[in-house]
Amino acid sequence: MKEQKDSLHQHEFATKPTWITRHKRINLIWQFIRFLILNVKMLRMVRLH
Amino acid sequence: MGKLVVLGAGVSGHTAAMHAWRKLKGKHEVVVITPNRNYNWIPSNIWVGAGTMKPEQVTFQLPNVYKKLGMELIQAKATAIYPEGKTDEPRPFVEIAYTDEARSGQTGRVTFDYLINATGPRLEFAKTPGLGPHGGHTTSVCTYGHAAEAWEHLQESIGRMKAGERQKILIGTGHGMCTCQGAAFEYTFNVEHALRKAGVRHKADIHWISNEFALGDFGMGGVHMRQGGYVTPGNIFAESLFAERGVEWTTQAGVTEIQEKKLKYETISGDEGEMEFDFAMLLPPFSGVGMKAFDKAGTDITGEVFAPNGFMKVDADYSGKPYEQWSPSDWPETYQNPKYSNLFAVGIAFAPPHSISKPMKSPSGTPIFPTPPRTGMPSGVIGRQTALNIVDMMLGRAEEPTRKSSMARMGAACIASVGKGFFDGSAVSMTVHPIVPNYELFPETGRSLRYTTGEIGLAGHWIKHLLHHGFIYKAKANPMWYVIPE
């Protein structure tokens, strides 16, 4: 039987990623796309100087 | 031939020196004075502290680079500035104390036409009794040496966990007025990642303690981002990561005393508490390096050139106006000293007009809030822009600085590592525009919601790793270094 969680613990008031979000964070194809997008975002910051 | 002297060869000073050298070589002289022989890519120190990099991977010897460029490097510590010269020296000069083995203990003078102060901070461990690795009870990741020592202590804790002992790990800020929460944040999750890899995560209680009002403040007063149809404050994302990785947190806390395996803290609401730990990495507060300034007659003018915290005054508003009256125009644009137009300060060495986060005090009057970060991308950009302004003036193209780089108009990209590994690593990738909230341009949240973004994932780690190698390649002045942006 699973232990009862402390519903007043600070972690219980925080948003948590869903399974799909966690999966997307390590999925190589998705992350390669994000890698390209993040590079564009960073270059945009460079251009803003 | 004119002479530009740069004090310090960190991210900002080294960047400034290299850009100035590139434009001035053969026409004017560029001299760098730094007490350290090694360049340290400080953003990667957190990996040294978590055992995923060696100190030699985040450092290289500066003399080799300067020899290659034909630029003079003096290994010394600047102790005083004479911006008007002295009775026996008509040109402005800095007084130095050599730190290399051959001339250790000797002093000298280096004259200049223009001076960039990029000395970085003094690490003020002494402000909290018991803080720091020099006779204290905590570790640090502020230098590669400190980080290597932190990893040694962490390994001891890991050894104990492997032997079945439970360990309390405490990471955060060691004083009510610290900055660089981002580095402590990265270290927290890199330690958590290292413990998981070592198979002992279940034996560790990891706790974050900081002077931020809320998680995700990072000394920038927090951020807001568009997410899921809402304008969401950054603490929601920060809390999410802490909860996901099982890290507990205490915010609004100023650490007041550290004893062996125990610390005391005070909160903004006036509560006092104690926390036990087996391993702690707590950052110290920063101050200026303690340089003095004198006029031609030898009168001490340190108070006119430097702010009380030891950082150099530049073209900022130091009137000390209340929080409600803060404005983007308080922040410096050219980093030129108001009294001496040939003195400039960049990176951590310039005195900010005030904090970015709202100043808070406990009922007993202890200030507990983050001081403003001036590291990373803005530090490099300000170094480059200031150097190019000086280049224009030395080459007679301009009478005064023309390039402006206010942190209230400048954006920044920040990749915060939360675990190192090509397949299992992760990082928080953030872009923020502008760094200092500008409610004149962006009345809703002080920042552009188009350009202020954040996400977590493996791609961020790849970028962080690439940046590590890219910036070290650039700092070594390898071919085409100048095409890599700051």
Side-chain angles (χ1 to χ4, degrees):
Chain A
M1 202 171 83
K2 279 213 163 185
E3 250 182 65
Q4 171 71 25
K5 270 190 174 180
D6 176 6
S7 64
L8 295 182
H9 190 278
Q10 61 185 169
H11 289 171
E12 298 307 310
F13 294 93
T15 55
K16 293 192 192 74
T18 58
W19 175 86
I20 188 75
T21 303
R22 290 203 311 271
H23 177 73
K24 275 160 74 180
R25 286 178 185 169
I26 52 168
N27 179 280
L28 291 179
I29 297 166
W30 179 245
Q31 286 302 308
F32 180 70
I33 296 165
R34 296 312 301 168
F35 176 78
L36 299 175
I37 292 169
L38 285 170
N39 273 289
V40 170
K41 281 184 177 182
M42 291 207 306
L43 287 171
R44 214 163 51 173
M45 282 298 115
V46 172
R47 199 198 63 200
L48 282 172
H49 296 138
Chain B
M1 189 180 255
K3 190 174 182 182
L4 166 64
V5 169
V6 181
L7 304 180
V11 173
S12 204
H14 187 59
T15 304
M18 285 183 27
H19 279 287
W21 167 84
R22 183 167 167 257
K23 301 282 183 185
L24 295 174
K25 61 183 168 187
K27 298 170 197 144
H28 296 286
E29 203 181 342
V30 181
V31 177
V32 176
I33 300 171
T34 178
N36 306 312
R37 194 178 165 79
N38 288 332
Y39 179 87
N40 180 198
W41 178 244
I42 290 169
S44 296
N45 283 356
I46 48 117
W47 284 338
V48 176
T52 46
M53 269 197 180
K54 302 276 179 212
E56 49 273 23
Q57 290 175 281
V58 300
T59 55
F60 63 82
Q61 295 220 334
L62 282 165
N64 301 340
V65 176
Y66 283 76
K67 197 175 168 187
K68 178 170 76 177
L69 298 175
M71 202 178 353
E72 189 181 354
L73 174 74
I74 299 171
Q75 198 185 326
K77 188 172 73 173
T79 53
I81 304 175
Y82 288 78
E84 300 169 11
K86 211 176 173 184
T87 43
D88 59 345
E89 173 56 69
R91 293 180 70 188
F93 68 91
V94 279
E95 221 161 48
I96 58 169
Y98 290 96
T99 55
D100 57 335
E101 276 180 26
R103 291 178 292 183
S104 179
Q106 295 178 32
T107 58
R109 288 176 179 180
V110 181
T111 58
F112 64 85
D113 294 296
Y114 288 91
L115 180 84
I116 298 179
N117 173 13
T119 46
R122 173 186 280 168
L123 307 175
E124 293 279 13
F125 289 109
K127 291 250 167 116
T128 303
L131 178 68
H134 309 295
H137 307 289
T138 61
T139 63
S140 149
V141 290
C142 292
T143 69
Y144 62 91
H146 288 172
E149 204 181 320
W151 171 232
E152 279 175 27
H153 286 284
L154 185 61
Q155 275 177 298
E156 283 172 29
S157 274
I158 291 173
R160 288 203 182 95
M161 286 183 245
K162 282 184 173 166
E165 227 178 287
R166 198 158 188 90
Q167 294 281 288
K168 287 185 177 172
I169 310 247
L170 188 59
I171 300 173
T173 54
H175 186 268
M177 292 197 73
C178 288
T179 184
C180 275
Q181 287 77 11
F185 170 90
E186 287 187 273
Y187 190 59
T188 304
F189 293 105
N190 273 274
V191 166
E192 197 272 341
H193 188 76
L195 297 183
R196 267 191 286 136
K197 280 196 159 181
V200 293
R201 178 65 184 90
H202 61 291
K203 287 284 180 190
D205 298 315
I206 308 179
H207 201 106
W208 165 268
I209 183 165
S210 93
N211 55 350
E212 300 162 291
F213 189 82
L215 282 182
D217 181 292
F218 294 132
M220 299 190 300
V223 293
H224 288 82
M225 289 175 272
R226 277 197 195 126
Q227 197 77 27
Y230 288 85
V231 175
T232 312
N235 66 301
I236 298 292
F237 297 102
E239 285 175 7
S240 170
L241 185 64
F242 276 72
E244 184 191 345
R245 304 278 281 265
V247 179
E248 296 190 340
W249 65 87
T250 299
T251 52
Q252 305 183 13
V255 175
T256 52
E257 190 189 340
I258 299 162
Q259 299 161 356
E260 198 179 352
K261 300 200 169 190
K262 191 168 83 175
L263 67 72
K264 292 179 180 175
Y265 65 91
E266 184 184 1
T267 65
I268 290 171
S269 57
D271 297 334
E272 289 181 2
E274 289 186 353
M275 230 176 252
E276 291 185 345
F277 62 85
D278 297 295
F279 169 88
M281 195 298 290
L282 298 174
L283 296 178
F286 293 167
S287 76
V289 295
M291 262 192 295
K292 296 272 184 193
F294 299 93
D295 67 9
K296 202 170 185 73
T299 310
D300 192 329
I301 51 164
T302 307
E304 293 176 54
V305 177
F306 294 96
N309 55 14
F311 297 119
M312 188 182 265
K313 287 182 184 172
V314 290
D315 58 322
D317 182 342
Y318 298 112
S319 59
K321 55 180 150 178
Y323 175 75
E324 294 71 28
Q325 293 171 25
W326 286 2
S327 146
S329 61
D330 299 346
W331 288 81
E333 293 183 326
T334 63
Y335 303 88
Q336 187 176 35
N337 182 264
K339 187 172 169 73
Y340 296 103
S341 61
N342 59 346
L343 300 187
F344 292 81
V346 298
I348 294 175
F350 84 81
H354 42 66
S355 63
I356 301 174
S357 306
K358 186 173 181 176
M360 304 293 282
K361 275 184 183 175
S362 71
S364 66
T366 310
I368 301 172
F369 61 93
T371 48
R374 307 174 306 280
T375 51
M377 189 175 184
S379 179
V381 170
I382 293 167
R384 183 196 64 206
Q385 296 294 74
T386 303
L388 295 180
N389 276 335
I390 294 171
V391 164
D392 282 349
M393 291 190 285
M394 290 181 85
L395 294 177
R397 294 178 190 152
E399 296 274 308
E400 54 186 30
T402 50
R403 292 172 182 79
K404 293 181 176 174
S405 40
S406 165
M407 283 169 62
R409 290 187 178 272
M410 182 195 299
C414 174
I415 312 288
S417 171
V418 292
K420 189 173 180 295
F422 192 81
F423 293 110
D424 64 351
S426 189
V428 181
S429 309
M430 283 184 72
T431 57
V432 178
H433 183 266
I435 299 162
V436 175
N438 187 330
Y439 291 96
E440 290 168 12
L441 288 177
F442 308 104
E444 196 181 351
T445 65
R447 295 196 176 92
S448 159
L449 288 173
R450 183 176 171 210
Y451 291 124
T452 301
T453 62
E455 67 178 73
I456 300 174
L458 180 58
H461 170 70
W462 294 340
I463 295 174
K464 178 97 180 169
H465 202 81
L466 273 179
L467 291 178
H468 166 88
H469 290 290
F471 286 133
I472 287 182
Y473 177 92
K474 176 180 176 158
K476 285 181 174 174
N478 284 320
M480 304 294 283
W481 63 265
Y482 45 85
V483 300
I484 300 173
E486 276 66 44

